[in-house]
Amino acid sequence: MYGLVNKAIHDMVCENFGEDVWEQIRQKAGVEEETFISMETYPDAVTYQLVGAASDVLDTPATDILQAFGRYWTVYTAEEGYGDLLNMSGHTIQEFLSNLDEMHTRVSLSFPQLEPPSFECTEVTDESLNLHYYSHREGLAHLVIGLLYGLGERFKVGVEVEQTADRNDGADHDIFAIKLDKK
């Protein structure tokens, strides 16, 4: 994964728990890098180690860490200079989710080694949709759930998410049923 992801984990932990807790997490994860360069690639294992160590240090399930990070990511990327790209990707949550693959294609122009997931929206209505999530990376469904809640905040829409298919249970991809409540 790109350093931007690990840098965001660092920033989320420091904002919420302080630099000392981040240092404990970094040490427990066995990560030597003291800073991450946004445009540099790092092995996926580094990110997984940081999440695992955060789970241990914060005494919080890794699924909760991933969900909190997903929510944080929606704000973080806008603040890190990707707000215009996010704005161009849709004016509603349904439109935005339907354009995720196109957005990742644009992002890959800046991040040529990007290996993004793929998303497909089905059964789209004004109040709901199903989001199909395909990724070669395992164990990130809760990150997607957090992203969906964060996008709900971004678009000022109430979001309820239920995972209806899970790769961990043998499905070939994850599916999320999303109910929307326009505020």
Side-chain angles (χ1 to χ4, degrees), residues 1 6 13 31 34 37 41 50 54 62 87-88 93 111 114-115 127 130 162 179 182:
M1 287 188 217
N6 298 330
V13 168
V31 173
E34 292 187 19
I37 300 168
T41 58
L50 289 170
N87 291 337
M88 289 187 322
I93 193 168
F111 295 89
L114 186 70
E115 297 177 24
E127 293 87 29
N130 287 332
E162 178 186 353
K179 292 183 183 173
K182 306 216 171 146

Side-chain angles (χ1 to χ4, degrees), residues 20-37:
D20 291 343
V21 172
W22 166 254
E23 192 55 34
Q24 290 174 40
I25 291 169
R26 189 181 68 77
Q27 298 271 330
K28 185 160 190 70
V31 173
E32 293 181 16
E33 291 87 352
E34 292 187 19
T35 60
F36 294 99
I37 300 168

Side-chain angles (χ1 to χ4, degrees), residues 2-178:
Y2 274 92
L4 182 63
V5 173
N6 298 330
K7 185 176 175 302
I9 293 171
H10 165 270
D11 291 354
M12 182 182 81
V13 168
C14 289
E15 282 177 29
N16 290 290
F17 303 100
E19 192 71 41
D20 291 343
V21 172
W22 166 254
E23 192 55 34
Q24 290 174 40
I25 291 169
R26 189 181 68 77
Q27 298 271 330
K28 185 160 190 70
V31 173
E32 293 181 16
E33 291 87 352
E34 292 187 19
T35 60
F36 294 99
I37 300 168
S38 295
M39 302 292 282
E40 188 172 310
T41 58
Y42 296 84
D44 288 356
V46 170
T47 306
Y48 286 108
Q49 288 166 256
L50 289 170
V51 170
S55 175
D56 289 346
V57 170
L58 299 172
D59 193 28
T60 302
T63 54
D64 291 355
I65 301 284
L66 286 168
Q67 192 164 327
F69 179 69
R71 197 174 219 147
Y72 182 82
W73 182 254
T74 61
V75 173
Y76 185 84
T77 52
E79 291 175 354
E80 286 294 305
Y82 299 96
D84 289 341
L85 181 62
L86 295 172
N87 291 337
M88 289 187 322
S89 296
H91 299 293
T92 67
I93 193 168
Q94 297 98 317
E95 197 176 89
F96 184 88
L97 292 172
S98 294
N99 289 325
L100 276 173
D101 282 1
E102 176 65 31
M103 184 187 70
H104 283 132
T105 298
R106 289 184 185 137
V107 170
S108 68
L109 297 173
S110 296
F111 295 89
Q113 294 175 320
L114 186 70
E115 297 177 24
S118 181
F119 296 89
E120 178 186 3
C121 291
T122 60
E123 302 176 43
V124 179
T125 72
D126 285 343
E127 293 87 29
S128 65
L129 63 103
N130 287 332
L131 182 68
H132 299 257
Y133 165 65
Y134 304 87
S135 178
H136 72 278
R137 293 182 174 97
E138 306 243 347
L140 298 179
H142 286 274
L143 173 72
V144 174
I145 292 169
L147 288 168
L148 293 168
Y149 284 113
L151 288 170
E153 292 168 13
R154 178 177 177 80
F155 289 102
K156 296 177 180 28
V157 174
V159 174
E160 284 183 44
V161 180
E162 178 186 353
Q163 188 169 0
T164 58
D166 190 330
R167 283 179 49 191
N168 292 329
D169 294 335
D172 69 338
H173 68 284
D174 297 298
I175 303 174
F176 306 93
I178 305 164

